[in-house]
Amino acid sequence: MSIRPILETRKATPAIEGAGVRLHRAFGFQDPTELDPFLLFDDFRNEHPADYMRGFPWHPHRGIETITYVLAGTVEHSDSLGNSGTLGAGDVQWMTAGSGILHQEMPRGNATGQMHGFQLWGNLPSSQKMTAPRYQDVSSRDIPEVIDDDGTRVRVIVGEFWGKTGPVDGIAADPQYLDVFVPAGVKKTFRIDTYRRAFAYVFEGQGAFADASAPTGVLLEKEVAGQELNIRDMSGDRTLVRFGTGDEITVQAGPEGVRFLLISGAPIAEPVAWHGPIVMNTQDELRQAFKELRNGTFIRPAH
């Protein structure tokens, strides 16, 4: 087995989207090959309703899939296909925009005004860019959770892990999406298929990830002597950790434990033409999409 090297560790940066929603963006609208097949990852977390209540009014998508994972508060959604509903704490929605959809997402806080959730964009290969749109809404109670003897907890949202299979399926990127908690002081290793691109996003506590590319620092150092990770740099709240190629990642939890999303997927390795909420393969396809938006033919009739 080989530990994946850490290619980069960086903090999510403040951004404003929709009708003025204040959020933090871990990646997006930069180099689409960096975490192929994933394009964008937003952490929308706030305790001030004025900073999120105006939400994300009607907007289009084509050529991508989005996964929305809610931790606190709710998200009310509706779309041009006639779907509508509410995502609550722990719920997940995977939307395949395919050939095109118009939808809106309106966050609402919990009893104390807190709102917290994540949205991830996954690219679609050229063969599925114009597929029929669809939704998968998954209730929190249907997401399996695995608890190890050392107290490590993993919610399996997509993919297979520790004998459990997440309820979301049929996703083009063949992803694995895990919500992981490692208790204070525990060192834990997680297997990831070598062919997948992978990243972790820390959102509670702190942890040090082993780095196979460094002889010192965040590293399994002198493990034969039973020593813990040599912690040079602890990754804390709103930190993205981007991994290179390997079979596994190892994390040493800090004094309060660490909770993070561990996400991986198979690269699509195709050209990307991207503007706003629409992602195609060529500039001509992108121009055509926006032409259809203008002339009212963006939404394809159901077959």
Side-chain angles (χ1 to χ4, degrees):
M1 297 299 166
S2 59
I3 296 173
R4 286 178 174 244
I6 295 174
L7 300 180
E8 181 183 18
T9 300
R10 68 172 181 246
K11 286 284 191 179
T13 57
I16 298 178
E17 285 294 345
V21 177
R22 295 182 181 274
L23 49 80
H24 282 74
R25 177 159 293 151
F27 63 87
F29 297 108
Q30 292 173 328
D31 180 2
T33 68
E34 180 180 82
L35 279 163
D36 179 20
F38 306 115
L39 298 165
L40 175 145
F41 182 86
D42 283 344
D43 178 349
F44 51 97
R45 181 189 337 179
N46 212 298
E47 296 179 355
H48 306 289
D51 290 339
Y52 62 76
M53 287 293 287
R54 286 171 291 181
F56 307 91
W58 291 98
H59 58 281
H61 284 295
R62 175 179 284 181
I64 64 170
E65 299 183 281
T66 67
I67 184 169
T68 304
Y69 180 30
V70 177
L71 293 183
T74 61
V75 176
E76 299 172 2
H77 67 89
S78 54
D79 66 42
S80 53
L81 303 177
N83 299 305
S84 64
T86 300
L87 299 176
D91 294 348
V92 173
Q93 180 192 82
W94 197 295
M95 181 194 74
T96 302
S99 61
I101 199 167
L102 296 171
H103 77 157
Q104 65 173 352
E105 301 153 299
M106 307 303 288
R108 299 288 181 258
N110 60 17
T112 62
Q114 184 185 25
M115 178 68 221
H116 190 190
F118 306 106
Q119 188 167 92
L120 173 70
W121 291 13
N123 199 6
L124 281 169
S126 57
S127 61
Q128 297 184 38
K129 288 287 188 190
M130 300 301 288
T131 192
R134 69 170 182 147
Y135 275 87
Q136 294 183 67
D137 284 344
V138 178
S139 172
S140 178
R141 64 178 177 269
D142 296 324
I143 298 173
E145 183 175 70
V146 195
I147 304 177
D148 206 1
D149 293 341
D150 58 13
T152 297
R153 300 195 309 268
V154 180
R155 299 191 85 209
V156 186
I157 296 168
V158 187
E160 296 183 8
F161 188 76
W162 286 354
K164 299 290 185 180
T165 301
V168 181
D169 62 6
I171 307 304
D174 185 27
Q176 186 182 60
Y177 190 124
L178 309 175
D179 177 350
V180 179
F181 171 75
V182 181
V186 171
K187 181 174 66 181
K188 201 71 178 174
T189 295
F190 302 92
R191 291 288 310 278
I192 302 176
D193 289 344
T194 305
Y195 73 94
R196 296 171 181 266
R197 294 272 174 82
F199 69 92
Y201 182 76
V202 178
F203 62 95
E204 286 181 13
Q206 289 185 317
F209 290 86
D211 186 357
S213 65
T216 59
V218 184
L219 172 70
L220 282 173
E221 186 175 76
K222 299 180 181 176
E223 189 167 14
V224 291
Q227 296 186 11
E228 292 299 312
L229 279 168
N230 179 16
I231 299 173
R232 178 187 61 192
D233 184 18
M234 297 284 279
S235 295
D237 188 22
R238 293 193 177 111
T239 299
L240 173 77
V241 183
R242 189 163 61 93
F243 300 104
T245 302
D247 300 311
E248 58 191 27
I249 66 118
T250 294
V251 62
Q252 171 85 50
E256 298 178 356
V258 63
R259 189 175 178 190
F260 60 95
L261 302 179
L262 182 58
I263 299 174
S264 61
I268 294 173
E270 292 182 351
V272 173
W274 182 5
H275 184 74
I278 297 175
V279 183
M280 304 302 291
N281 292 106
T282 69
Q283 290 297 319
D284 284 345
E285 291 171 341
L286 202 57
R287 282 190 287 269
Q288 180 65 27
F290 280 98
K291 179 181 177 182
E292 292 174 10
L293 261 179
R294 291 190 298 270
N295 66 23
T297 60
F298 184 78
I299 304 299
R300 305 297 172 96
H303 296 293

